[in-house]
Every structure is written in C-alpha cells, then in structure tokens.
Amino acid sequence: MTAKKRVLITGAAGFLGSHLCDRFLQEGYHVIGMDNLITGDIRNIEHLYNEPAFEFIKHDVSNYVHLPGDLDYILHFASPASPIDYLKIPIQTLKVGSLGTHNLLGLAKAKKATMLIASTSEVYGDPTVHPQHEGYYGNVNPIGPRGVYDEAKRFQEAITMAYHTFHGLDIRIVRIFNTYGPRMRLNDGRVLPAFIGQALRGEDLTIFGDGSQTRSFCYVDDLIEGVFRLLHSNYVYPVNIGNPDEITIREFAEEIIKLTGTAQKIVYKPLPKDDPMQRQPDISRAREVLGWEPQVSRSEGLKITYEYFKSLPREELYRKEHNSFEGYIKR
Ligand code: UDP
C-alpha cells in the first residue's frame, strides 16, 4: 500500500478550513490541521478527533512553522475573513497574510510541497469592472478599513508568485468570492449569519446603506469542489471561485425574511467605508481550466444553512463573540 499523501491545512478550525479537512480525509489523505483558534472554533473539527488520519496542531502560522515528516500539499486558509474581524484585529490580519504566508512558503519549499493560497475577491476592492475577471487589477484603498485584509491578500499573491518564478515552487491561487454554509460563525458579522441570527432572535434585519449593493453567494460544497479541482490541476495563475448568481442586499434580506418566516422588518444603517458596491465573479477561467461551475442554487443552499443555524443551541444566538477571540482583542 502506498503511503497516504500528507496535506497541511491552516485555518483548519474555521469555516472553510474545517470543510476542507473533511473533504481531504474522505479522499484518503493524511490531514494535519493547524489553527490558532482566534477566529476558528475547535467544535468545527471535534468530529475528527478519533480519525487516525487527522492531527491537529494549535499554532499561529505568523510564527515559524515546524513540521516533521513529508508534506505533499499546503492549503493556507488561516485568516480573519469577516470585515468586523479584521477591523478588530487588523495587525494579526496583515501578519497572517504576509508573515504567515512567507513561513508556509518556506515550509513548502523545504518539503517540495505544492502551496495553495486562499486569496479573495477583495483583491479587486470596490471594483470598477463588472463582473470581475482575473485580469482586472482591482480598486483597493490601501489605508481604508478593508486595506489590512485586501493588501495582505494582494501581498500574499505577490510573494507566492515570486516563490514560483524565483524558486520554481508549485503554487495555486484561488480567489474566493462570498461563500456560505454550515459552520459559519453566527456572530461573525457577515451578512448571511447576521440576517439569519436576527431572524432567529426576533430582531429587525439591518441593511447597511440602501441595500442596492450586490453580492453573489456560493454554497460551501461548490467552493470546496473548486479548490479540490484547482489543487489537482497544474494551473499556477489566479482562478476565481464563486457563484455568479448576483443579488442586491435588499433582495437578499427579503429572501431571508421569506425563508425564516420572521415577522420582523428591515432597518437601514450607515454603509461602512469602502464597502464594495457590486461583486460578481466571472468564472469563465474556472469553467475552462477546471471544468467547474457551481451546482447548488441559492434557495437550496440557504435552506441547508438555515437548518444548521436553527439546530445550534439557543445560547449561541446570544453569544457576542467566540471565546478565544475575546482575550485577544484586549489592549
Ligand atoms: N451587510 C448588511 N447588513 C449586515 C451585514 C452586512 O447590509 O448586517 C452588507 C454589507 O454592508 C455588505 C454586504 O452586506 O454590503 C456583504 O457583507 P459581508 O460582511 O457579508 O461581506 P463583504 O462581502 O462585504 O466582505
């Protein structure tokens, strides 16, 4: 029997990281999950504890990463990813995208592993091109509230490409658009858990701005499939993965009201600075290179996600923040 391929997944206790752990274990890999549990939640991977092909290491990848043994792949998914998270921990956000990526690139080079980085639609900033294709260079405010995330991810792409061109490292770059599904943090501030949480608590739904801004929501299983295919391709340039089904935030709030049957109304709050007005992935590259496109419609995905949030213990609805996060933001 040949030995299992070994994959390191950073951000393993997070929303996407935990789904990736599940998928790679199902596919017969040995998975090493790493997370510092600042925004991740250990409960997302508790079901893997007795799995012999899974190990977990609590570590912050912004510090030197030591890992004995062989390694075939690194998937770098560690980062705060919600705007309110990176407003609260801006320096850590910058560090994990820059120093963290550098450490992992060094590890990948030493182990001759393939390195896949989780980039983001945020590299396009508040886009002036619509829909966004990979050749668009973006419209980012480096010193705005989102700059800490956007610029860390842009630097991450640059240093990863430099390791490819200079050291010949095998790399993959996925630009992830808004993704949703079970294991999102109910209180992470993003629009979908925010609206569903409000509906479940019997509060009004808060729309920021007039709700005319757009987003395009991809169900997590589709995203994971896209990442899996990209890793096993030999394509080293950025690939957008997301669902092109675009919707305004106002229409989205109405969909959530219908889905949850809440009697609450919509209230309007100020639009945060640099909030992108429109976002929709052009996925022609993913279609061509990976033969990938999303399979799960928003109505199907929302139903599954709503059932998940409903199944959580009621006190989760009122928990202000994830525990391990609280100590961290004290000054
Ligand atoms: N939003 C909203 N109400 C909320 C939370 C978010 O109207 O309670 C809006 C937000 O201003 C943005 C969109 O929903 O225009 C998506 O926000 P999210 O934080 O999910 O992620 P983003 O795509 O902005 O990174």
Side-chain angles (χ1 to χ4, degrees), residues 57-248:
I57 303 171
K58 184 169 182 283
H59 181 67
D60 182 343
V61 296
S62 299
N63 301 316
Y64 185 83
V65 184
H66 172 73
L67 205 66
D70 293 341
L71 203 56
D72 298 288
Y73 303 106
I74 300 177
L75 280 74
H76 183 22
F77 277 68
S79 177
S82 156
I84 64 160
D85 283 349
Y86 45 81
L87 277 176
K88 283 180 186 156
I89 43 172
I91 313 289
Q92 290 89 337
T93 303
L94 279 158
K95 282 171 76 177
V96 72
S98 55
L99 307 181
T101 303
H102 186 215
N103 288 332
L104 293 164
L105 285 165
L107 181 68
K109 181 166 155 267
K111 305 279 186 186
K112 298 188 173 49
T114 298
M115 170 93 166
L116 182 148
I117 55 162
S119 189
T120 167
S121 54
E122 282 285 328
V123 299
Y124 303 123
D126 189 2
T128 55
V129 164
H130 195 72
Q132 294 77 55
H133 59 83
E134 292 87 347
Y136 174 52
Y137 296 158
N139 178 35
V140 170
N141 173 5
I143 56 165
R146 289 176 182 248
V148 295
Y149 182 66
D150 302 6
E151 296 295 6
K153 291 292 189 180
R154 289 170 68 96
F155 174 85
Q156 180 182 49
E157 288 197 10
I159 192 171
T160 302
M161 189 50 78
Y163 265 70
H164 174 67
T165 48
F166 192 72
H167 290 307
L169 189 77
D170 192 29
I171 62 160
R172 309 282 183 269
I173 302 172
V174 56
R175 290 187 181 153
I176 299 172
F177 283 66
N178 294 66
T179 302
Y180 69 97
R183 302 189 195 151
M184 285 187 103
R185 257 168 46 232
L186 194 51
N187 298 315
D188 85 349
R190 277 185 285 188
V191 67
L192 182 142
F195 285 170
I196 293 187
Q198 286 161 343
L200 288 172
R201 286 188 298 266
E203 296 169 0
D204 292 335
L205 273 61
T206 53
I207 286 187
F208 299 163
D210 64 4
S212 63
Q213 70 271 39
T214 69
R215 292 295 185 272
S216 310
F217 297 97
C218 182
Y219 186 64
V220 61
D221 290 358
D222 282 331
L223 188 280
I224 299 296
E225 177 65 27
V227 171
F228 194 80
R229 287 193 195 192
L230 176 62
L231 184 71
H232 295 96
S233 75
N234 58 6
Y235 195 76
V236 298
Y237 297 104
V239 179
N240 289 340
I241 297 286
N243 190 323
D245 188 3
E246 185 183 15
I247 185 175
T248 67

